[in-house]
């Protein structure tokens, strides 16, 4: 079966944005393709260019790109909601870094928008695949620890 790669773009190219770019390009190449990155900081765009990544001139260009199906939000926490809503309304699926919102009302707005737009919206849970977490999960599933 042939899988079409998911076109990904990252908004926010700091520490976690860089982490996502590396994961996509070096570990997920069979399933995902990094279309590009955008950051309001020109220095970060320069770093992306030096690594060979396409960088978008602005968020609007990124959201208008038909090759982008998934937007990863790795910006400061206080702008996650606004970016997520714009991305969802532009027809993109969204993964947001944590904390996803500043309060539960913001999160409800994001979920409501995703439902209204019929798009995927989720929070990045990077630790769920770490070996120590998987080991504890296995112990729990085997009931080795007793009732928790």
């Amino acid at each position: 079966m042939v899988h079409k790669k998911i076109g990904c773009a990252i908004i926010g190219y700091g520490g976690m944005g860089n982490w996502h770019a590396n994961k996509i390009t070096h570990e997920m190449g069979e399933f995902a393709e990094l279309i590009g990155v955008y950051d309001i900081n020109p220095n970060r765009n320069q770093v992306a260019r030096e690594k060979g990544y396409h960088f978008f001139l602005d968020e609007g260009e990124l959201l208008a790109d038909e090759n982008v199906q998934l937007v990863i939000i790795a910006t400061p926490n206080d702008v996650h909601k606004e970016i997520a809503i714009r991305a969802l309304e532009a027809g993109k699926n969204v993964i947001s870094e944590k904390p996803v919102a500043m309060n539960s009302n913001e999160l409800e707005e994001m979920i409501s928008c995703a439902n209204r737009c019929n798009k995927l919206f989720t929070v990045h849970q990077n630790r769920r695949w770490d070996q120590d977490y998987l080991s504890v999960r296995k112990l729990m599933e085997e009931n080795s620890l007793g009732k928790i």
Side-chain angles (χ1 to χ4, degrees):
M1 173 184 241
V2 175
H3 295 279
K4 183 177 188 253
K5 290 184 180 185
I6 299 168
C8 304
I10 301 167
I11 298 178
Y13 191 64
M16 284 310 295
N18 185 38
W19 184 90
H20 284 285
N22 285 330
K23 281 287 187 187
I24 293 166
T25 57
H26 299 297
E27 297 180 29
M28 299 179 67
E30 181 181 350
F31 306 103
E33 174 184 8
L34 182 60
I35 304 300
V37 302
Y38 171 68
D39 197 293
I40 61 172
N41 182 332
N43 294 330
R44 291 182 179 167
N45 289 328
Q46 180 60 34
V47 171
R49 178 189 296 166
E50 290 168 3
K51 288 191 174 190
Y53 302 142
H54 170 73
F55 67 95
F56 292 95
L57 298 176
D58 58 42
E59 182 185 301
E61 179 189 14
L62 183 152
L63 294 178
D65 191 320
E66 293 180 7
N67 295 311
V68 174
Q69 290 98 35
L70 173 66
V71 173
I72 299 167
I73 301 173
T75 60
N77 307 334
D78 63 335
V79 294
H80 287 179
K81 181 191 89 164
E82 290 80 10
I83 295 170
I85 287 174
R86 287 192 297 268
L88 291 162
E89 289 177 342
K92 311 301 183 190
N93 298 297
V94 172
I95 296 175
S96 179
E97 271 301 329
K98 305 176 290 298
V100 65
M102 301 305 288
N103 56 57
S104 61
N105 289 334
E106 284 188 4
L107 179 57
E108 286 298 324
E109 286 181 60
M110 297 158 91
I111 293 168
S112 176
C113 183
N115 290 336
R116 185 175 69 253
C117 296
N118 197 30
K119 291 295 169 186
L120 169 78
F121 169 72
T122 190
V123 180
H124 182 239
Q125 300 293 334
N126 55 305
R127 302 302 306 264
R128 80 173 64 170
W129 309 116
D130 289 357
Q131 191 56 52
D132 52 345
Y133 285 79
L134 292 174
S135 296
V136 171
R137 179 179 176 182
K138 184 176 183 228
L139 290 171
M140 289 174 55
E141 289 171 349
E142 294 170 348
N143 201 28
S144 298
L145 303 174
K147 183 174 173 143
I148 298 177

